[in-house]
Short mmCIF file of all heavy atoms in Angstrom, two decimals:
data_model
loop_
_atom_site.label_atom_id
_atom_site.label_comp_id
_atom_site.label_asym_id
_atom_site.label_seq_id
_atom_site.Cartn_x
_atom_site.Cartn_y
_atom_site.Cartn_z
N PRO A 962 -6.89 -2.29 -6.19
CA PRO A 962 -8.20 -1.70 -6.60
C PRO A 962 -9.11 -1.38 -5.41
O PRO A 962 -9.17 -2.08 -4.46
CB PRO A 962 -8.74 -2.74 -7.51
CG PRO A 962 -7.53 -3.47 -8.00
CD PRO A 962 -6.53 -3.46 -6.91
N ALA A 963 -9.87 -0.22 -5.49
CA ALA A 963 -10.66 0.23 -4.40
C ALA A 963 -11.78 -0.84 -4.11
O ALA A 963 -12.22 -1.61 -4.95
CB ALA A 963 -11.25 1.52 -4.77
N ALA A 964 -12.16 -0.73 -2.78
CA ALA A 964 -13.27 -1.66 -2.38
C ALA A 964 -14.63 -1.10 -2.90
O ALA A 964 -14.81 0.04 -3.22
CB ALA A 964 -13.31 -1.57 -0.84
N THR A 965 -15.47 -2.05 -3.22
CA THR A 965 -16.83 -1.72 -3.64
C THR A 965 -17.70 -1.31 -2.39
O THR A 965 -17.31 -1.66 -1.27
CB THR A 965 -17.54 -2.94 -4.32
OG1 THR A 965 -17.65 -4.05 -3.39
CG2 THR A 965 -16.58 -3.46 -5.59
N ASP A 966 -18.82 -0.82 -2.72
CA ASP A 966 -19.80 -0.47 -1.66
C ASP A 966 -20.17 -1.64 -0.86
O ASP A 966 -20.30 -1.59 0.40
CB ASP A 966 -21.08 0.22 -2.18
CG ASP A 966 -20.74 1.64 -2.78
OD1 ASP A 966 -19.71 2.14 -2.43
OD2 ASP A 966 -21.57 2.19 -3.42
N GLU A 967 -20.36 -2.83 -1.55
CA GLU A 967 -20.76 -4.12 -0.95
C GLU A 967 -19.65 -4.52 0.04
O GLU A 967 -19.91 -4.95 1.16
CB GLU A 967 -20.97 -5.14 -2.00
CG GLU A 967 -21.34 -6.51 -1.45
CD GLU A 967 -21.40 -7.62 -2.58
OE1 GLU A 967 -20.87 -7.36 -3.67
OE2 GLU A 967 -22.07 -8.60 -2.25
N GLU A 968 -18.35 -4.37 -0.35
CA GLU A 968 -17.34 -4.78 0.46
C GLU A 968 -17.26 -3.88 1.73
O GLU A 968 -17.09 -4.38 2.87
CB GLU A 968 -15.96 -4.76 -0.24
CG GLU A 968 -14.81 -5.13 0.59
CD GLU A 968 -13.37 -5.07 0.03
OE1 GLU A 968 -13.46 -4.90 -1.25
OE2 GLU A 968 -12.43 -5.19 0.70
N LEU A 969 -17.39 -2.55 1.58
CA LEU A 969 -17.35 -1.68 2.61
C LEU A 969 -18.46 -1.88 3.61
O LEU A 969 -18.34 -1.82 4.83
CB LEU A 969 -17.48 -0.20 2.10
CG LEU A 969 -16.27 0.19 1.29
CD1 LEU A 969 -16.47 1.60 0.73
CD2 LEU A 969 -14.95 0.27 2.11
N GLU A 970 -19.63 -2.29 3.12
CA GLU A 970 -20.78 -2.61 4.04
C GLU A 970 -20.45 -3.81 4.94
O GLU A 970 -20.80 -3.83 5.99
CB GLU A 970 -22.02 -2.96 3.11
CG GLU A 970 -23.32 -2.99 3.89
CD GLU A 970 -24.51 -3.14 2.85
OE1 GLU A 970 -24.48 -2.40 1.86
OE2 GLU A 970 -25.27 -4.06 3.03
N ILE A 971 -19.92 -4.83 4.23
CA ILE A 971 -19.59 -6.13 5.16
C ILE A 971 -18.35 -5.69 6.09
O ILE A 971 -18.42 -6.19 7.24
CB ILE A 971 -19.12 -7.25 4.16
CG1 ILE A 971 -20.35 -7.61 3.23
CG2 ILE A 971 -18.69 -8.40 4.96
CD1 ILE A 971 -21.64 -8.03 4.07
N LEU A 972 -17.51 -4.94 5.60
CA LEU A 972 -16.41 -4.52 6.55
C LEU A 972 -16.87 -3.83 7.75
O LEU A 972 -16.24 -3.84 8.79
CB LEU A 972 -15.37 -3.60 5.75
CG LEU A 972 -14.16 -4.35 5.08
CD1 LEU A 972 -13.37 -3.38 4.24
CD2 LEU A 972 -13.26 -5.07 6.20
N ASP A 973 -18.01 -3.05 7.63
CA ASP A 973 -18.55 -2.40 8.73
C ASP A 973 -18.87 -3.35 9.93
O ASP A 973 -18.80 -2.88 11.06
CB ASP A 973 -19.94 -1.74 8.27
CG ASP A 973 -19.65 -0.25 7.93
OD1 ASP A 973 -18.61 0.18 8.27
OD2 ASP A 973 -20.65 0.33 7.45
N GLY A 974 -19.10 -4.62 9.66
CA GLY A 974 -19.42 -5.51 10.64
C GLY A 974 -18.19 -6.28 11.16
O GLY A 974 -18.28 -7.19 11.96
N ALA A 975 -17.07 -6.07 10.53
CA ALA A 975 -15.85 -6.71 11.06
C ALA A 975 -15.24 -5.99 12.32
O ALA A 975 -15.62 -4.94 12.63
CB ALA A 975 -14.74 -6.60 9.89
N LEU A 976 -14.34 -6.70 13.02
CA LEU A 976 -13.68 -6.19 14.21
C LEU A 976 -12.45 -5.43 13.90
O LEU A 976 -11.75 -5.80 12.96
CB LEU A 976 -13.46 -7.37 15.15
CG LEU A 976 -14.71 -8.20 15.61
CD1 LEU A 976 -14.17 -9.34 16.42
CD2 LEU A 976 -15.58 -7.30 16.40
N ASP A 977 -12.18 -4.47 14.74
CA ASP A 977 -10.83 -3.83 14.64
C ASP A 977 -10.53 -3.27 13.27
O ASP A 977 -9.49 -3.39 12.67
CB ASP A 977 -9.67 -4.73 15.00
CG ASP A 977 -9.94 -5.38 16.43
OD1 ASP A 977 -10.43 -4.67 17.22
OD2 ASP A 977 -9.64 -6.56 16.57
N VAL A 978 -11.60 -2.69 12.63
CA VAL A 978 -11.41 -2.13 11.23
C VAL A 978 -10.59 -0.88 11.18
O VAL A 978 -10.62 0.01 12.11
CB VAL A 978 -12.86 -1.82 10.63
CG1 VAL A 978 -12.70 -1.11 9.23
CG2 VAL A 978 -13.60 -3.11 10.53
N ARG A 979 -9.71 -0.83 10.22
CA ARG A 979 -8.80 0.29 10.04
C ARG A 979 -8.99 0.95 8.61
O ARG A 979 -9.66 0.32 7.89
CB ARG A 979 -7.35 -0.03 10.23
CG ARG A 979 -7.10 -0.64 11.61
CD ARG A 979 -5.54 -1.23 11.61
NE ARG A 979 -5.34 -1.95 12.89
CZ ARG A 979 -4.30 -2.75 13.06
NH1 ARG A 979 -3.43 -2.84 12.11
NH2 ARG A 979 -4.04 -3.31 14.20
N ASP A 980 -8.39 2.04 8.42
CA ASP A 980 -8.39 2.65 7.12
C ASP A 980 -7.97 1.76 6.01
O ASP A 980 -8.37 1.80 4.83
CB ASP A 980 -7.66 3.97 7.04
CG ASP A 980 -8.21 5.07 7.86
OD1 ASP A 980 -9.48 4.90 8.31
OD2 ASP A 980 -7.53 6.14 8.17
N ASN A 981 -7.04 0.93 6.30
CA ASN A 981 -6.45 0.03 5.35
C ASN A 981 -7.05 -1.36 5.34
O ASN A 981 -6.54 -2.29 4.78
CB ASN A 981 -4.99 -0.13 5.40
CG ASN A 981 -4.47 -0.62 6.80
OD1 ASN A 981 -5.20 -0.56 7.79
ND2 ASN A 981 -3.23 -1.14 6.83
N SER A 982 -8.18 -1.57 6.05
CA SER A 982 -8.90 -2.93 6.00
C SER A 982 -9.38 -3.26 4.66
O SER A 982 -10.00 -2.39 3.97
CB SER A 982 -9.98 -2.76 7.10
OG SER A 982 -9.52 -2.77 8.36
#
Side-chain angles (χ1 to χ4, degrees):
T965 63
D966 288 346
E967 181 185 17
E968 180 181 348
L969 294 174
E970 191 174 310
I971 298 301
L972 267 173
D973 263 351
L976 300 173
D977 308 320
V978 175
R979 302 175 187 165
D980 288 346
N981 59 339
S982 287

